[in-house]
Amino acid sequence: MTSTIDPKAQAAQWWATDIIKMSPGVIQFHGYPIQDLIGQLSFTSMIWLMLKGDVPNPEQEALFNAALMAGVDHGPQAPSIAIARMAMSCGVGINNAMASAANVLGDVHGGAGEQCLEFFQRIQQAIESGLDLDSAIQNELQAFFASGKKYVPGFGHRFHPVDPRSRPLMQLLEKAEQAQATTGNYREIALGVEQHIAKLKSRPVPMNIDGATAAIYGALGFPAALCRGLFVLSRSVGILTHAWEQNQSNTRNKGPMPKGWLWSYTGTPERNLNTHEV
């Protein structure tokens, strides 16, 4: 039996996408010709367009831009930055150094924003089901700590008593809310969780950048799973910068500890193979 399948049509569906249309002389993103976007759309707005399929309004762009900008770097103590510098000093290309760094942005380093937004979204869903804010937060925190977890993602910081990035971001979120550029109760949820944790812990546990950006991304309508990708985009700026700085240095920094420092050995004491009974 002769096949009626058109090979060209079948090939065209292989990578079917809503994102980009491209043919000789034509490049369009979600229907917008590239020549109309160049010089008119910021890089931040282009990220929004690619992910959401349309252009943000000015308030949304400003808030989104602030969240991305605030997380670009946190110094060589951060594993991703340290790895970028070590990889660069090993003689690899800058793309290899960046990839090595991005590959460690996982659940522990880089994943807190996603985890925090998932937490906020459960509270948001409870509010939408008719529960008041305080009860929704109390129920979620109770379930969280009852599961054996001790630290709510997005709150507390091992270096900063108060994260200097969180308050300015929350102020911008409030401004965007007043302009009706956001959805949900994410700012109230984030601040409410902060207050409830302080009562449970008998001391303040301030919101960190992961909590603030989680509230922002939630209010801007991004799904939680995208938070990690957005953090990778943000932190890649710092990764690139540190990799480039290391590339310009004449020193080598291949190890995670300064020269002359050694680790602690905790294994079996020295022994003699000749006295070992077989």
Side-chain angles (χ1 to χ4, degrees):
M1 187 174 182
T2 304
S3 174
T4 59
I5 298 175
D6 181 355
K8 282 190 175 182
Q10 187 178 37
Q13 290 303 311
W14 188 262
W15 288 113
T17 175
D18 292 339
I19 299 169
I20 182 171
K21 178 181 180 180
M22 193 279 292
S23 60
V26 174
I27 303 174
Q28 295 178 1
F29 296 100
H30 293 288
Y32 292 104
I34 186 65
Q35 60 268 30
D36 294 347
L37 299 176
I38 293 174
Q40 299 296 320
L41 209 64
S42 70
F43 183 50
T44 298
S45 292
M46 190 63 187
I47 296 170
W48 180 290
L49 170 62
M50 292 292 284
L51 290 172
K52 283 180 166 283
D54 216 333
V55 177
N57 64 38
E59 292 81 9
Q60 290 169 331
E61 191 220 359
L63 184 59
F64 189 40
N65 184 71
L68 289 170
M69 183 278 291
V72 295
D73 190 16
H74 199 232
Q77 54 80 31
S80 55
I81 301 297
I83 287 170
R85 300 192 73 115
M86 285 189 288
M88 204 74 222
S89 70
C90 291
V92 303
I94 200 163
N95 60 308
N96 302 105
M98 292 183 71
S100 297
N103 278 335
V104 300
L105 294 172
D107 289 342
V108 176
H109 173 42
E114 177 183 0
Q115 297 156 10
C116 184
L117 182 49
E118 289 173 346
F119 184 84
F120 288 167
Q121 285 177 337
R122 290 194 292 270
I123 297 172
Q124 178 67 42
Q125 289 166 3
I127 293 171
E128 291 171 0
S129 297
L131 208 59
D132 64 274
L133 176 68
D134 283 341
S135 297
I137 292 173
Q138 288 174 357
N139 290 351
E140 193 58 40
L141 282 173
Q142 187 176 31
F144 182 86
F145 290 123
S147 69
K149 298 173 184 176
K150 296 181 180 180
Y151 306 103
V152 179
F155 296 86
H157 202 288
R158 62 189 181 123
F159 285 103
H160 306 297
V162 176
D163 192 324
R165 301 164 292 187
S166 59
R167 290 302 174 224
L169 288 173
M170 294 303 288
Q171 289 168 358
L172 289 171
L173 175 53
E174 182 177 17
K175 183 179 178 181
E177 281 182 346
Q178 291 170 351
Q180 298 183 334
T182 59
T183 60
N185 306 82
Y186 289 98
R187 186 180 65 88
E188 290 180 323
I189 289 170
L191 294 174
V193 169
E194 183 178 55
Q195 293 170 1
H196 280 268
I197 292 175
K199 294 176 183 177
L200 291 171
K201 297 289 186 179
S202 300
R203 63 179 178 83
V205 184
M207 187 189 319
N208 60 37
I209 187 174
D210 296 312
T213 54
I216 288 172
Y217 292 146
L220 290 175
F222 288 100
L226 267 180
C227 280
R228 192 174 311 201
L230 292 171
F231 179 76
V232 173
L233 278 177
S234 174
R235 187 52 58 90
S236 67
V237 178
I239 289 169
L240 171 62
T241 308
H242 281 272
W244 181 245
E245 182 181 63
Q246 189 64 41
N247 184 64
Q248 303 306 297
S249 173
N250 292 323
T251 61
R252 293 189 176 188
N253 189 26
K254 293 189 290 183
M257 295 183 291
K259 185 179 179 181
W261 289 31
L262 292 175
W263 57 92
S264 297
Y265 174 66
T266 57
T268 305
E270 181 179 349
R271 44 188 169 169
N272 191 324
L273 180 62
N274 294 328
T275 61
H276 181 69
E277 294 183 4
V278 180

